[in-house]
């Protein structure tokens, strides 16, 4: 049976994420709320402002103006806000700018096509804009992630014991992933707990589990470490809030660095 190190718990009263991620999360949460409100109101106001020009403005140009509104909302907020804005834009385009006016009926087939295209294009560009926003969040937090990886790499080169690296990475994982607890097991695999994979997903039995949509599965989660291609141990994670995908990918990298340190140091402590 494998030897198990003691459980390390943080001194803070509750799990926490790094300051950069926590601050960015608060900022984006506020922006998401504002964007959702804008998704409901902005298309209505713009369509209403176009009413005096609806006899001279082509429906195509009116639809393009509303698409610009959808893009602005999606860039500010989330995919949900962008999709709501697209639906709102299509509805108010129908209500204010197509005959019969101020009803949700459309008599001309060309207007039906324009409304459908407005909805489709609005949803598409909102997804693209939201993806661009997500990449901005990645840029904001990348510096902290790289610093964490570099610290661990430097320690792995200079530490006179692999256990020092294990303890360091255990603390890093607890902070990075907002864990309630984290311990390391050397040696043989026992049981089949959920496993954090290299792509940031989780495997539960034979099923792939997406933490971003499903949350963490019940119980501890294993994060395996490998040295020179062979298994050397695993971190057992007691999860808290679901961290971003980038944090989970960094966790996998830290586990790999631990495996390399253990492999270089020779047989693990028993």
């Amino acid at each position: 049976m494998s030897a198990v190190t003691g459980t390390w718990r943080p001194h803070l009263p509750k799990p926490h994420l790094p300051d950069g991620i926590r601050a960015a999360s608060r900022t984006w949460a506020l922006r998401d709320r504002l964007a959702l409100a804008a998704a409901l109101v902005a298309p209505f106001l713009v369509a209403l402002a176009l009413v005096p020009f609806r006899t001279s403005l082509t429906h195509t140009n009116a639809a393009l103006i509303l698409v610009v509104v959808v893009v602005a909302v999606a860039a500010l907020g989330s995919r949900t806000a962008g999709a709501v804005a697209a639906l709102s834009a299509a509805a108010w385009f129908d209500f204010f700018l197509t005959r019969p006016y101020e009803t949700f009926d459309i008599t001309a087939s060309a207007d039906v096509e324009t409304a459908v295209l407005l909805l489709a294009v609005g949803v598409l560009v909102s997804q693209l804009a939201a993806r661009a926003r997500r990449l901005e969040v990645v840029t904001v937090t990348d510096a902290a992630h790289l610093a964490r990886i570099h610290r661990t790499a430097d320690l792995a080169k200079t530490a006179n014991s692999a256990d020092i690296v294990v303890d360091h990475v255990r603390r890093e994982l607890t902070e990075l992933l907002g864990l309630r607890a984290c311990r390391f097991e050397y040696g043989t695999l026992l049981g089949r707990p959920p496993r954090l994979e290299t792509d940031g997903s989780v495997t539960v039995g034979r099923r792939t589990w997406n933490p971003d949509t499903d949350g963490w599965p019940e119980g501890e989660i294993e994060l395996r470490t490998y040295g020179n291609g062979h298994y050397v141990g695993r971190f057992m994670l007691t999860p808290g809030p679901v961290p971003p995908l980038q944090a989970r990918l960094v966790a996998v990298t830290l586990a790999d660095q631990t495996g390399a340190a253990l492999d270089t140091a020779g047989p693990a402590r028993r």
Side-chain angles (χ1 to χ4, degrees):
M1 182 173 180
S2 63
V4 181
T5 67
T7 299
W8 182 87
R9 297 180 182 274
H11 296 296
L12 294 177
K14 60 182 180 179
H16 66 286
L17 296 175
D19 291 340
I21 296 177
R22 188 167 61 241
S25 298
R26 287 196 297 266
T27 300
W28 291 119
L30 175 60
R31 291 184 66 169
D32 285 343
R33 291 193 292 270
L34 293 175
L36 191 57
L40 296 171
V41 176
F44 167 78
L45 294 177
V46 171
L48 185 63
L50 293 175
V51 166
F53 312 101
R54 63 189 176 190
T55 57
S56 58
L57 184 68
T58 67
H59 289 168
T60 300
N61 287 339
L64 288 174
I65 292 173
L66 289 171
V67 166
V68 172
V69 177
V70 173
V71 173
V73 169
L76 174 65
S78 63
R79 286 180 170 85
T80 300
V84 170
L87 289 169
S88 179
W92 296 121
F93 171 80
D94 176 8
F95 188 83
F96 285 119
L97 303 176
T98 65
R99 297 179 185 274
Y101 296 129
E102 299 179 10
T103 71
F104 287 106
D105 296 327
I106 302 179
T107 56
S109 60
D111 292 341
V112 174
E113 292 175 0
T114 302
V116 171
L117 286 173
L118 169 59
L119 176 60
V121 172
V123 170
L124 176 60
V125 298
S126 72
Q127 304 311 299
L128 294 175
R131 178 175 175 79
R133 193 200 81 164
R134 180 176 177 275
L135 292 176
E136 181 180 346
V137 177
V138 174
T139 302
V140 169
T141 60
D142 264 352
H145 291 340
L146 289 173
R148 196 181 299 274
I149 292 170
H150 289 161
R151 283 198 303 269
T152 303
D154 289 342
L155 181 63
K157 292 177 182 178
T158 59
N160 54 17
S161 169
D163 290 336
I164 295 176
V165 179
V166 170
D167 290 338
H168 168 79
V169 172
R170 192 168 56 201
R171 291 191 294 270
E172 292 281 1
L173 291 175
T174 301
E175 181 180 356
L176 173 68
L177 300 178
L179 303 176
R180 294 189 176 93
C182 180
R183 59 193 175 88
F184 187 79
E185 294 182 347
Y186 294 92
T188 306
L189 288 167
L190 297 176
R192 296 187 62 187
R195 182 170 69 251
L196 181 60
E197 302 288 0
T198 56
D199 62 355
S201 66
V202 174
T203 298
V204 181
R206 296 182 179 180
R207 182 164 65 97
T208 298
W209 184 288
N210 184 355
D212 294 318
T213 57
D214 303 326
W216 288 119
E218 292 293 328
E220 288 185 310
I221 297 169
E222 69 173 6
L223 174 56
R224 296 182 180 182
T225 61
Y226 294 89
N228 198 26
H230 63 273
Y231 171 78
V232 294
R234 62 184 178 181
F235 290 96
M236 299 301 296
L237 318 175
T238 301
V242 176
L245 173 61
Q246 291 72 33
R248 303 197 300 270
L249 295 176
V250 172
V252 172
T253 301
L254 296 178
D256 288 342
Q257 291 176 314
T258 305
L262 288 171
D263 182 67
T264 300
R269 183 180 61 189
R270 299 283 180 182

